[in-house]
Amino acid sequence: MKIRDIEIKNPVIMAPMAGITNMAFRKIVKEFGAGLVYSEMVSDKAICYGNQKTIEMLQVDEGEHPVSIQLFGGEVESMVQAAKFIDEHSNCDIIDINCGCPVNKVLKANAGSKLLQNPQLIYDIVSNIVKNVSKPVTVKIRSGFDKEHINAVEVAKLIEKAGASAIAVHGRTRSQMYEGHADWSIIKAVKEAVSIPVIGNGDIRSVEDARRMLEETGCDAIMIGRAALGNPWLIKQVVESLEHGTDIPEPTYKEKIAWCLTHAKRLMTIEPERIAMSQMRGHAPWYIKGLKSSSAVKNELSKVNTYEELEKILKDYEQFLDTL
Ligand SMILES: Cc1cc2nc3c(=O)[nH]c(=O)nc-3n(C[C@H](O)[C@H](O)[C@H](O)COP(=O)(O)O)c2cc1C
């Protein structure tokens, strides 16, 4: 698949996730074979005000191409200004516009899924960004704002008309937040309505789900979010299955623990140890989810402050698992 002139080597895409898909995480899923990765969403206003932390989030490592930087905002002028800044100062490959975030704070800025209530504004934002940047522009949407206002097809047509190079569709409404089921029929309807590549998203938790999404919706690529947390092997399993028809076995507990520690070390290359460990308090329990007696360990992991503590807890747990 190509997103304009950017070659996406396989149709397995890691979803953008705020607080999660930083460079350390992206490099891991890239090593596990993801065809495309996205940054966490970044605020247009923060870029316009020159917020240092946000500017740092625009940096991309050589090993993670192709990568999209995702931008959120609700005004044409600041969105264009921020997109131009990304175009000129980030070595990312694609600029993505967030029209799906359901969080109140983002909606108050007229951004994220709030934009679904104003398709003309989406058109204005996307078309003006496309005119002003050289990188391809893509958009991520939800099926609609609520079940009375399912407008993904109308919005997708406008996004295509505005010059976007691909569209990702999460088959939930804003009202659903992350609850209930994603409605894949909306993804199919969008795919039938536009000619640009369509990326299907929502509730892919296994190789079978990924295959079914591609078959049922006809989408060009699939996007995996929550199911890859602590489980980058899922990305590899899907890629290998789609590309070569081969089954990759589930990881052993030793592999899970080793990658968890690698994740922590990589986070410490981009964040101070204290911040890296606060993030690992979220990630580490995901890595050991489903392993024997992991509940008590998860509790300990939720309190780690240093890498040394994290390593000790995980190594002790590994020794316990060795005895079983
Ligand atoms: C913690 C978290 C953070 C997220 N952050 C973003 C974000 O920054 N931008 C975005 O477009 N979607 C974001 N999403 C939505 C995901 O990209 C994805 O659309 C959603 O989780 C559905 O896919 P899944 O069922 O595979 O998880 C986030 C989801 C979660 C759970």
Side-chain angles (χ1 to χ4, degrees), residues 20-312:
I20 292 167
T21 53
N22 54 25
M23 192 195 286
F25 183 89
R26 295 196 302 263
K27 280 172 73 176
I28 290 175
V29 287
K30 205 76 205 191
E31 274 175 56
F32 279 82
L36 175 66
V37 292
Y38 285 60
S39 71
E40 309 171 71
M41 60 180 181
V42 292
S43 151
D44 63 337
K45 292 279 159 71
I47 292 175
C48 294
Y49 296 144
N51 178 285
Q52 197 47 41
K53 185 76 198 159
T54 305
I55 306 290
E56 282 166 19
M57 287 167 80
L58 307 180
Q59 290 320 306
V60 165
D61 191 79
E62 274 316 307
E64 51 169 324
H65 291 288
V67 54
S68 296
I69 295 284
Q70 191 191 60
L71 187 59
F72 76 94
E75 288 166 21
V76 176
E77 204 183 323
S78 50
M79 283 294 272
V80 170
Q81 194 185 329
K84 280 170 78 172
F85 186 90
I86 296 173
D87 201 46
E88 286 159 22
H89 295 94
S90 168
N91 52 344
C92 71
D93 303 279
I94 296 166
I95 299 173
D96 185 70
I97 312 299
N98 181 321
C99 295
C101 181
V103 175
N104 277 330
K105 208 174 125 191
V106 170
L107 265 62
K108 278 201 190 111
N110 223 11
S113 57
K114 180 77 181 167
L115 288 168
L116 296 173
Q117 293 184 318
N118 191 348
Q120 181 60 41
L121 180 55
I122 296 182
Y123 177 82
D124 292 343
I125 289 174
V126 177
S127 59
N128 279 289
I129 290 178
V130 169
K131 274 184 221 141
N132 281 283
V133 301
S134 60
K135 296 183 198 284
V137 177
T138 61
V139 185
K140 181 164 176 279
I141 64 171
R142 284 186 174 235
S143 55
F145 195 80
D146 54 37
K147 68 177 189 310
E148 285 76 35
H149 301 91
I150 304 284
N151 61 353
V153 169
E154 176 205 346
V155 169
K157 283 183 181 166
L158 281 173
I159 287 169
E160 178 174 49
K161 193 171 150 210
S165 299
I167 180 161
V169 185
H170 176 193
R172 280 191 179 78
T173 62
R174 185 270 159 179
S175 303
Q176 281 181 284
M177 305 296 279
Y178 296 100
E179 305 294 321
H181 296 291
D183 178 358
W184 292 1
S185 70
I186 302 294
I187 299 165
K188 182 171 193 272
V190 169
K191 173 63 194 166
E192 284 165 2
V194 298
S195 316
I196 51 175
V198 173
I199 301 160
N201 170 238
D203 295 347
I204 296 174
R205 299 190 191 92
S206 64
V207 172
E208 293 68 37
D209 289 341
R211 286 188 166 280
R212 202 162 47 79
M213 165 79 89
L214 287 164
E215 276 160 26
E216 283 181 15
T217 71
C219 65
D220 302 275
I222 52 119
M223 177 184 271
I224 302 178
R226 291 163 294 177
L229 298 177
N231 187 18
W233 291 271
L234 176 61
I235 302 278
K236 193 171 188 172
Q237 287 165 338
V238 176
V239 172
E240 288 298 320
S241 173
L242 294 179
E243 301 268 284
H244 310 294
T246 43
D247 290 340
I248 298 285
E250 288 298 318
T252 63
Y253 62 87
K254 284 190 186 294
E255 286 174 296
K256 290 184 181 194
I257 288 171
W259 270 100
C260 181
L261 291 171
T262 300
H263 192 156
K265 280 191 208 136
R266 297 224 184 135
L267 274 176
M268 286 195 296
T269 65
I270 57 167
E271 299 283 6
E273 183 175 15
R274 183 180 54 83
I275 309 272
M277 289 310 118
S278 73
Q279 294 185 14
M280 286 313 295
R281 292 201 283 268
H283 287 286
W286 288 324
Y287 276 96
I288 61 164
K289 196 172 147 195
L291 296 179
K292 285 243 163 61
S293 309
S294 60
S295 304
V297 186
K298 281 184 193 166
N299 193 30
E300 285 182 64
L301 289 170
S302 69
K303 295 175 207 145
V304 289
N305 287 308
T306 65
Y307 178 82
E308 213 182 327
E309 285 168 18
L310 177 75
E311 188 177 44
K312 174 150 182 18

